Amino acid sequence: MKAVKNILLVGVGGQGTILVSKILTSGLVKAGYDVKMSEVHGMAQRGGSVTTQVRYGEKVYSPIIGRGMADILVAFEKMEAARWIEYLKPDGIVVVNNYEIPSLPIAIGKAEYPQGVMEALAKNFKTIEIDAAKTAMELGNIKTQNIVLLGALVKAFELNEIDWIEILKEIIPEKMLEINIKAFEKGMRL
C-alpha cells in the first residue's frame, strides 16, 4: 500500500490558497487517488491566516495533518511559513513565496515584521524560495501568484503525471484561463 502524502497550503485571506487546494484536489482525484481536504479560513476576510490540508494516497482516513507530518508546506507568504513550519516533516520540503503581507499589529505599528524567516527555514529544511508576486506582476496580474505557486508545488512534489492544464481549464473562468496557464508554466520552471 502506497503511503499517504500530506500537503499543507498556508497563506493570508485573499491570496487564492483555497482555489489552489481545489485545483490540486481535483487533479489528484482525477489521477485516481483517494483525497481528503480540510480548510480553515480563520479571519480570512480581514487578512488572517488561511490553511488547507490535502492528503492523498491509496486510502486516506482523515483530512487532518498533524505536527511533523506534512511532506510539503507551500507558504503563500513568508510569516505564514514560519507560523506553520512545525507541521513539516524533518525531511519535508517548504516552498515559500518571498512575499510579505503585514498582519494587523505590524500594519498599525504595534509589532515589526520578523526578520530572517527565509534564512531560518533554509537552515533547517529543504527550502524552495519563489518570488511568485514578481512573476505574477511580469505576467500582468498579481492575483496569479497562487497559480505560480501551484506550478512550483507540482514540480517540487513531482506530480507531473496529471494533466494540470486540463484541470485549470475546468476550474478557472475562461477570461482568466490564458494568464493562469502562463502562471502555472512559469511556476513549473522556477
Side-chain angles (χ1 to χ4, degrees):
M1 189 165 182
K2 290 182 182 173
V4 171
K5 296 287 184 180
N6 301 301
I7 301 171
L8 179 59
L9 304 167
V10 300
V12 173
Q15 284 193 288
T17 311
I18 292 171
L19 176 61
V20 167
S21 67
K22 288 179 180 172
I23 294 167
L24 189 58
T25 300
S26 182
L28 292 167
V29 167
K30 283 199 185 241
Y33 292 106
D34 183 24
V35 183
K36 301 286 187 281
M37 181 179 90
S38 171
E39 34 181 88
V40 177
H41 300 265
M43 294 293 285
Q45 71 276 14
R46 296 205 175 116
S49 278
V50 174
T51 64
T52 307
Q53 301 178 18
V54 178
R55 303 186 73 222
Y56 72 97
E58 201 171 302
K59 185 67 187 147
V60 179
Y61 294 98
S62 167
I64 305 301
I65 298 171
R67 285 182 171 81
M69 288 180 52
D71 295 290
I72 191 164
L73 168 67
V74 180
F76 289 51
E77 196 273 347
K78 291 192 309 190
M79 197 164 37
E80 292 301 315
R83 184 174 286 149
W84 291 94
I85 199 64
E86 67 185 303
Y87 284 81
L88 190 63
K89 287 180 176 177
D91 62 343
I93 301 168
V94 59
V95 176
V96 186
N97 185 9
N98 190 0
Y99 191 68
E100 295 178 6
I101 298 177
S103 63
L104 186 59
I106 294 167
I108 63 171
K110 298 283 184 194
E112 294 200 13
Y113 197 95
Q115 299 303 304
V117 171
M118 298 306 291
E119 295 80 5
L121 293 171
K123 191 169 119 182
N124 296 300
F125 298 95
K126 179 180 178 187
T127 303
I128 300 168
E129 184 179 339
I130 304 284
D131 196 338
K134 179 181 175 211
T135 302
M137 290 299 286
E138 288 169 358
L139 289 170
N141 189 331
I142 187 71
K143 291 183 177 182
T144 62
Q145 66 181 317
N146 61 335
I147 305 300
V148 173
L149 286 163
L150 173 65
L153 161 64
V154 165
K155 181 73 171 186
F157 219 46
E158 299 176 355
L159 290 169
N160 305 323
E161 78 276 7
I162 298 168
D163 186 348
W164 293 106
I165 302 303
E166 200 53 45
I167 304 300
L168 289 173
K169 287 178 181 175
E170 291 173 12
I171 295 174
I172 302 289
E174 192 173 338
K175 67 181 180 182
M176 294 299 295
L177 185 59
E178 185 180 339
I179 195 167
N180 278 285
I181 289 172
K182 287 179 184 171
F184 178 80
E185 289 171 344
K186 281 260 193 192
M188 289 274 291
R189 290 193 296 270
L190 288 177

